[in-house]
Each structure stands twice: as structure tokens, then as C-alpha cells.
Amino acid sequence: MGFEVFAGFEYEYFVFDETPDSVRAKHYRDLKTMAPGFFGYSVIRNTVHSDYYLETLDLCEKMRFPLEALHEETGPGVLEAAIAVDEGLAAADKAGLFKTFIKVHAQRRGRMATFMAKWNPDLPGQSGHIHVSLKNKAGKPVFHDPKGQLSMSKLMQHFVAGQQALMPELLAMVAGTVNSYTRLMPGYWAPTHATWGAENRTCALRVIPGSENSQRVEYRIAAADCNPYLGLAVALASGLWGIEHKLPLGKPISGNAYDQKAPAKGALPTTLWEAAQRLKASKAARASFGDAFVEHFAATREWEERQFRKAVTDWELARYFEII
């Protein structure tokens, strides 16, 4: 279609003062995080642990996935890292390398990092947001129009409309684990409907108005557990679908999206099984990714859900063991 893709990934991840042996010995319970309490954007935390932060920044620089920012997020021992923007495939490569070698980096220092969507029901989930923009063949950004709504060009409006329209159908490719859906709950800074807004972090899509070079859309539905190649493929394919079909963009959500009644067609699947069924039935998914991929990938997600159904969880034991 004559576009060049640019993307930037940002990840939240928990760091623990644990080892692969200790977490297994504890059965993944009562784990000690690198720091206690809720110290989002804390100067204290990143100064106390400055050696670890600086080593992380140095690692990312040397391995050619440099970070634009690294800071403490909301939650005990949770960090957030923003990887520098790059061309589409290179951006996904950098995200994949980042996730792997952050875990290696932690373990070599007697710690562990996790990119689960949610490892503890009492703590916030972990996001893996994807920022996307396009340029034309001449290298000119195509999302910015100073005269447009929120500085959006018509092309960007179609792009965001496509992302919004196809999000429920393609969610299995973005939220691909059973655990992914524990994060998608009202009030937990993760979307529950395919909504969009301007600088609105309660929406699934956050349009970020700015200059010609900074105007972009943030695909906020993605969690830290998302495969960066699949996540970016979905964010891009759905946007291009919107451009190709010239989809109109509705009104943005103003205020807290959780407190507003969104159209039923924008409701997101609430389980991995439901998401897999929506993916199989999606004509857009088959047009974008091919029948063979859709059938195979959906089948793998159904298999994953079936394995989970065999599990007897701690919640079930505590609720049913004696009283049922």
C-alpha cells in the first residue's frame, strides 16, 4: 500500500529477588519483589537501585534495542521500559530481544523478571503497549494534519477506525494466554471494550496528537505477554483494513471509559476460548493472515484453553474443598 511502518513498544514487568529454584520451591507464592509498596515514578526507588537500572540501560544500548525511558511503575518491584522507535519489523525484533534478555539479565544477578499479563490478583496487570505510525514512500508522515480533528489526517482516522472495528475479532492474536484475560477487567488500567480517545488511558486505543513526527496511535489492549510480532501485525493489519475500506471514525470517549456504556459491537471477548472462536469466524483475519494461519493459530489457543480447564486452582480449593 506504499507505507513504511514505524513502531515503538513499551513494557511493564515485575522484578523479584528470587531465582528459578526459589520460585518453584515456593510454588510461585509469597514471592519477594525487588522493592515493596506502590512507588510509581519514584526517584527513591530508581536511585536506591541505580546500579540495576544503569546496567539495564547499558545492556539495551549494547544489544541495539536502546530505551527511551526506564522507571518504577505502580506496583511493588514493577518497572516500565520504553524501547526506542524503529521501522516496523526491526521494532518487533527489538521487543522480542528485550523481553528475553531482560529475563537473562535479572537471573544473572540473582533476580527474576516476569512478563505475565497478571501474576497476582491483588496487583495491577502488566501492559505491553504498541505505538504505531506510517510514512509514505517519500518518507513523509501521513498521520498528521494540523487542520484535522486532534491533528489527525483522514488516513489516520481510517486507520484508527479499522483498529477499533477489528479488535474484538483479532484479540486472540494479541491476548493469547488464559492469563491475558485476568488483566482485562474494569478499573485496572486495561481496556474492556474497543474504545478510542485522545490521550485517554482508559481506552483501548489512545490517539496521541502532536507534531508531524510524533502524531501516533497507541494500541493499549496489548499486555506484556503479547508476542510482539503478532501484536504489531494485528495493530497494523487492522489499521490498513480501515484505510482500504475507508472506515469512518466515531466520536472519541471523553472521561473514564469504564463508567460509560460502549456499543455492544465493541465488547471484547472475555475468555481465550471466545477469542479463538471470534478469530476463526473473522473474514478480515482470513483476508489479512490467510486461512492456514487462522485455523492453526485458533486451534492452538483452543488447546491452551482445554489444558487450563484440567487445572484445579487454589481459588477452587479454598472455595469448594470444605463447604461444597
Side-chain angles (χ1 to χ4, degrees), residues 258-270:
Y258 301 120
D259 293 338
Q260 303 180 40
K261 187 175 181 179
K265 66 178 182 180
L268 299 175
T270 57

Side-chain angles (χ1 to χ4, degrees), residues 143-161:
F143 275 3
H144 184 259
D145 180 355
K147 297 180 181 179
Q149 178 191 16
L150 302 170
S151 301
M152 287 191 292
S153 66
K154 288 291 184 183
L155 190 144
M156 183 182 185
Q157 292 179 38
H158 294 323
F159 189 90
V160 176

Side-chain angles (χ1 to χ4, degrees), residues 31-188:
L31 303 181
K32 185 179 185 299
T33 54
M34 184 174 75
F38 285 62
F39 274 65
Y41 294 88
S42 170
V43 174
I44 294 174
R45 290 286 184 258
N46 63 26
T47 304
V48 169
H49 298 285
S50 61
D51 289 350
Y52 189 76
Y53 278 72
L54 292 170
E55 288 175 356
T56 300
L57 291 167
D58 187 53
L59 167 77
C60 296
E61 190 75 32
K62 286 180 177 178
M63 293 197 70
R64 299 181 183 176
F65 44 87
L67 303 184
E68 291 187 356
L70 177 66
H71 65 88
E72 181 98 1
E73 247 297 351
T74 302
V78 61
L79 306 185
E80 182 174 33
I83 306 171
V85 65
D86 206 334
E87 178 272 334
L89 184 58
D93 286 339
K94 290 181 177 182
L97 288 168
F98 172 83
K99 290 180 68 174
T100 297
F101 284 94
I102 283 297
K103 288 181 278 191
V104 171
H105 172 71
Q107 289 190 30
R108 292 184 67 176
R109 284 151 185 80
R111 291 182 166 132
M112 288 196 75
T114 184
F115 288 83
M116 286 181 67
K118 199 164 189 176
W119 77 274
N120 186 309
D122 299 323
L123 297 175
Q126 301 178 99
S127 67
H129 300 156
I130 309 169
H131 296 251
V132 182
S133 64
L134 302 176
K135 291 183 179 181
N136 61 23
K137 290 181 179 178
K140 181 178 175 61
V142 297
F143 275 3
H144 184 259
D145 180 355
K147 297 180 181 179
Q149 178 191 16
L150 302 170
S151 301
M152 287 191 292
S153 66
K154 288 291 184 183
L155 190 144
M156 183 182 185
Q157 292 179 38
H158 294 323
F159 189 90
V160 176
Q163 290 185 318
Q164 183 180 24
L166 297 188
M167 187 178 290
E169 299 177 23
L170 305 182
L171 185 64
M173 292 175 60
V174 178
T177 72
V178 171
N179 183 253
S180 301
Y181 297 83
T182 63
R183 170 180 167 267
L184 303 179
M185 302 290 288
Y188 281 89

